[in-house]
Amino acid sequence: MVVTPVRHLGDRRPACTKAFAQRAFSYHRFCFHVSLYISLPRFLPPPQARSAGIPSIWHTMEAAASSVKDGGDLRDTELRLGLPGTEAPEKPAAPSTRGSKRALQEDDDMESRANSRPLEADSGEAPAAKAQIVGWPPIRSYRRNSFPPRKVESEAEAEAEAEAAGLYVKVSMDGAPYLRKIDLKVYKGYKELREAMDNMFKCFTQGEVSRKEGCSSGSESAITYEDKDGDLMLVGDVPWEMFISSCRRLRIMKGCEVRGLRT
Amino acid sequence: MTYFPEEVVEHIFDFVGSHRDRNTVSTVCKAWYQVERLSRRTVFVGNCYAIRPERVMARFPGIKSLSVKGKPHFADFNLVPYDWGGFALPWIEAAARRCPGLEELRLKRMVVTDDGLELLARSFPNFKSLVLISCEGFSTDGLAAIATYCRGLRELDLQENEVEDHGCQWLSFFPDSCTSLVSLNFGCLKGEVNGGALERLVARCPNLRSLKLNRAVSVESLNKILARASHLVDLGTGSFAVDHRTDAYHTLMNSFPKFKSLRNLSGFWDASPCCLRAVYPVCTNLTVLNLSYAPAIQGDDLIKIICLCFKLQKLWVLDSIGDKGLAVVASTCKELQELRVFPCDIYGAGTTSVTEEGLLAVSSGCPKLNSLLYFCYQMTNAALITVAKNCPHFTRFRLCILDPGKPDPVTNQPLDEGFGAIVRSCKNLRRLSLSGLLTDQVFLYIGMYAEHLEMLSIAFAGDSDKGMIYVLNGCKNLRKLEIRDCPFGDIALLKNVAKYETMRSLWMSSCDITLGGCKALAAKMPRLNVEIINENEETDEFEENLSDLHKLEKIYVYRTVAGPRNDAPDFVWTL
């Protein structure tokens, strides 16, 4: 949900923020400016203020937004950060101090106003989805950086999010030309996992049998995994829940190597 | 007075302590100017670009203590670009050339480099105290240089700086002959420090009174240090997290009772409730307690510790303390002067941890309260009016309602009346930060009543230019005005241009100021630097084509006798 504020591309900040900037904003800079624009909350008059005297700056913004509503849905033409085919999350991109309102207004007026609409709808109902304002709340960066983005109490929330996202790990098979990915959350235990993996790599195992002339134990294979310490472990030793939490990738080992692992 | 010999005048001036008084005294006549400047030992420069460093050193050749501030305050909140300026090196170089007797240097919001630190360390044989607050640009190598060359160093105080970690060995550079340390604060360092070197350093400095460790210092290390430093007055505890089944935990539990002089506690980064119990024996003597970096300590445990701190004068906590916890503060801490309540959850999940009730309780229970920084999700006019009545002694009142532009939730009205009551009642108010839904009316009140106000911070407030004009026309003592996201335009900017020469600086961002307005201001007031901070890379090409109607994102206006600065980066234009 939260994105560490990034100043601007190519700045001389510590490596982590710069790397993050480069990762997150490897897209066209134009996109970057557009998403920056949505994060400015001046375009989101708070619901309570709509009836009370709203500062004039919000009047003009609200008028602008509503005029676009009448103009039709411009989502098709909007620029976002996100993979094709995925719905862009309503979370704002990292606000940055680079990016002027004036330039955005000239170039991508319509798109950015269209973007601001979904956030406007959300801001009244879900405070958690509120856009991040640069430099607000006024807390020193030192303090901000001292805290992890979530409180201890919202661990459950974090878990829930992780649940929804699935736990995809890569599966490689010795000799197979490409890898697969499976969602470990889908399976209830080791048996189901083994069956699924057999199914997935069926096409390769048949070819493999004929090539194992040098090994006496033909098509023997073992499923191994790399845990979070980086060690190669045999699947099946630990309880399923523990396995899921520590497995980082799976590897189906075949033939001679397997004997070494078993002994 | 002019018939007295200079020595007598100088002796009289020794009793004139404050900067302002000394500044005034120096304007009486040439003789007094001379005496004053030669006898001045402490100089404070509030804006490093207001005057050239060489001029300061030339005027005051005998200074022992120099304090300089760089970036505008809003740089703390990422509103000022990284390489805007505020370089310390020119100041260090000028002092090295003209004032080798310098003993203390205090820098805030400046860019300090390792080269600068090394020059500092080598140039001043009597150097005693270095205080860096919210600075950046240096690494632990610079600290190593300070440790190596500053013989007789008494104080190294690093507060909230961005320091690049080049290894843990810098502490080992303090020579074995260094026994003079009184205060060592490296709480902001992110990396490990050499535990053995730290323990030996603490052991050989018998005058050490203030020690603030960083998060990387473990409880095991802390135990060893505490064993050697029983005269500490001020302790920053490091991470303060250890499993309660270990020996280290038991040692910790028994470490604190012997600290008879301990008055300040801070740190506690990863402290758990059971570790916090270790400090209960010293709570009754505490005057300063900072638990604002300890998110694992929740309301009930905070209450348990606060119940013991009845001599507390300064308390910094997270809003997990809740209104209930603040009620306990109100009933226990009768000596409380400063309270800061920071939000746990910065990213606005909207959980109501503290509200106006907590503030009300503290205001009625703590009659000596004079400084407040309070982050909350809601505030009412009624509460503010009552707080104003209960605490007329506020000198610093900073209220941040996390939802910008939020009105009084009970009446749905703006908070004009509440803040109006504060400025009317608190005659000595020097610093004020506003938030919530506010119209021009609050600025009318501020202009009328806030006679001693020196610093005003405004965000998402006001309806029209009139708001800013009220402030500029009132507030006789205003020194710093910082505004963001308010509908103030050129008319307000240009209404009272002479005012800006009486102030240190004006910051306006995301308002309605245009290029034309700034040009007019710069033309009328040649002794102001009108800086435009323009971060949009695309407009670099269009510089010539910018019309006067072009709205400016950020401007920074400050009085100066140094003219436009020569170290401004490309994106800063001084008109």
Side-chain angles (χ1 to χ4, degrees), chain B residues 524-542:
Chain B
K524 281 191 194 168
M525 304 294 293
R527 282 194 303 213
L528 296 179
N529 274 358
V530 179
E531 285 191 10
I532 295 171
I533 297 167
N534 174 48
E535 296 163 286
N536 188 337
E537 284 143 19
E538 284 148 28
T539 48
D540 286 348
E541 301 145 32
F542 302 121

Side-chain angles (χ1 to χ4, degrees), chain B residues 485-500:
Chain B
D485 293 275
C486 295
F488 302 143
D490 295 337
I491 299 173
L493 182 72
L494 296 169
K495 192 72 176 183
N496 187 354
V497 292
K499 178 80 175 173
Y500 304 127

Side-chain angles (χ1 to χ4, degrees), chain A residues 1-2 5 7-8 11-14 29 33 41-42 46 48-49 51-58 97-104 107 127-128 130 132-149 151-153, chain B residues 76-79 82-83 108-109 134 136 160 162 187-188 215 269 292-293 295 298 316 318 342-348 351 375 400-407 412 459-460 462-463 484-485 487 510 535-539 550 553-554 571:
Chain A
M1 169 168 82
V2 167
R7 302 275 171 80
H8 53 84
D11 69 10
R12 295 186 292 281
R13 269 306 187 187
R29 197 178 277 182
H33 282 159
R42 283 180 293 147
Q48 313 93 316
S51 47
I54 323 175
S56 57
I57 197 167
W58 283 332
T97 50
R98 282 228 161 219
S100 143
K101 187 180 72 152
R102 184 201 66 91
L104 292 164
D107 301 335
K130 203 179 293 261
Q132 288 294 308
I133 311 172
V134 178
W136 192 268
I139 293 173
R140 284 192 180 170
S141 342
Y142 174 78
R143 180 174 288 279
R144 268 184 202 269
N145 297 341
S146 299
F147 287 112
K151 274 198 303 192
V152 171
E153 278 137 47
Chain B
D76 285 350
F77 317 129
N78 295 350
L79 288 176
Y82 174 66
D83 30 6
K108 186 167 183 179
R109 273 186 225 108
S134 298
E136 59 191 356
E160 301 189 356
E162 275 278 345
C188 60
R215 196 172 185 170
W269 271 286
S292 64
Y293 288 101
Q298 296 295 302
W316 290 24
L318 292 171
F342 295 96
C344 253
D345 180 16
I346 296 167
Y347 304 101
T351 50
F375 285 85
C400 179
I401 300 168
L402 287 153
D403 201 349
K406 183 165 175 172
N412 225 28
F460 304 102
D463 302 321
R484 63 164 295 179
D485 293 275
S510 306
E535 296 163 286
N536 188 337
E537 284 143 19
E538 284 148 28
T539 48
H550 168 57
E553 192 56 34
K554 294 177 185 174
F571 54 82

Side-chain angles (χ1 to χ4, degrees), chain A residues 6-262:
Chain A
V6 172
R7 302 275 171 80
H8 53 84
L9 298 174
D11 69 10
R12 295 186 292 281
R13 269 306 187 187
C16 56
T17 9
K18 186 172 175 185
F20 176 81
Q22 286 167 345
R23 248 186 301 130
F25 301 116
S26 58
Y27 291 89
H28 195 284
R29 197 178 277 182
F30 196 59
C31 277
F32 167 70
H33 282 159
V34 171
S35 46
L36 159 68
Y37 193 64
I38 356 171
S39 69
L40 296 173
R42 283 180 293 147
F43 311 110
L44 314 173
Q48 313 93 316
R50 283 190 193 121
S51 47
I54 323 175
S56 57
I57 197 167
W58 283 332
H59 267 299
T60 43
M61 294 306 126
E62 194 181 34
S66 57
S67 73
V68 172
K69 272 183 205 157
D70 302 329
D73 188 0
L74 290 156
R75 278 196 172 200
D76 291 340
T77 53
E78 78 179 359
L79 295 169
R80 310 169 191 253
L81 292 180
L83 296 172
T86 58
E87 191 60 34
E90 293 303 354
K91 305 161 199 173
S96 161
T97 50
R98 282 228 161 219
S100 143
K101 187 180 72 152
R102 184 201 66 91
L104 292 164
Q105 269 179 339
E106 281 176 7
D107 301 335
D108 36 295
D109 235 342
M110 303 302 266
E111 285 92 332
S112 48
R113 283 190 187 140
N115 277 343
S116 73
R117 276 189 296 117
L119 288 174
E120 203 180 276
D122 282 345
S123 65
E125 294 125 27
K130 203 179 293 261
Q132 288 294 308
I133 311 172
V134 178
W136 192 268
I139 293 173
R140 284 192 180 170
S141 342
Y142 174 78
R143 180 174 288 279
R144 268 184 202 269
N145 297 341
S146 299
F147 287 112
R150 286 181 196 280
K151 274 198 303 192
V152 171
E153 278 137 47
S154 51
E155 288 263 291
E157 204 188 298
E159 273 173 42
E161 251 195 54
E163 296 253 326
L167 189 58
Y168 281 92
V169 295
K170 288 187 190 168
V171 186
S172 64
M173 179 163 182
D174 293 355
Y178 51 80
L179 281 66
R180 303 292 301 268
K181 257 201 165 160
I182 59 170
D183 180 2
L184 290 178
K185 292 256 159 72
V186 168
Y187 308 107
K188 295 191 194 55
Y190 288 118
K191 190 154 158 289
E192 277 190 31
L193 177 67
R194 256 180 240 279
E195 278 166 19
M197 288 175 73
D198 283 343
N199 268 335
M200 222 183 244
F201 286 97
K202 225 181 346 212
C203 46
F204 300 121
T205 34
Q206 280 153 16
E208 284 300 302
V209 175
S210 55
R211 272 189 252 144
K212 288 281 179 283
E213 292 120 21
C215 303
S216 54
S217 48
S219 58
E220 195 176 311
S221 66
I223 309 183
T224 61
Y225 70 101
E226 186 184 308
D227 72 359
K228 54 179 182 239
D229 296 326
D231 299 321
L232 192 66
M233 319 280 291
L234 186 68
V235 163
D237 288 334
V238 298
W240 176 249
E241 290 306 324
M242 199 190 289
F243 165 70
I244 291 208
S245 65
S246 59
C247 174
R248 292 288 166 262
R249 58 185 293 163
L250 286 158
R251 180 178 159 198
I252 304 177
M253 291 172 77
K254 307 211 64 84
C256 325
E257 275 185 78
V258 171
R259 250 180 289 123
L261 202 61
R262 285 261 165 85

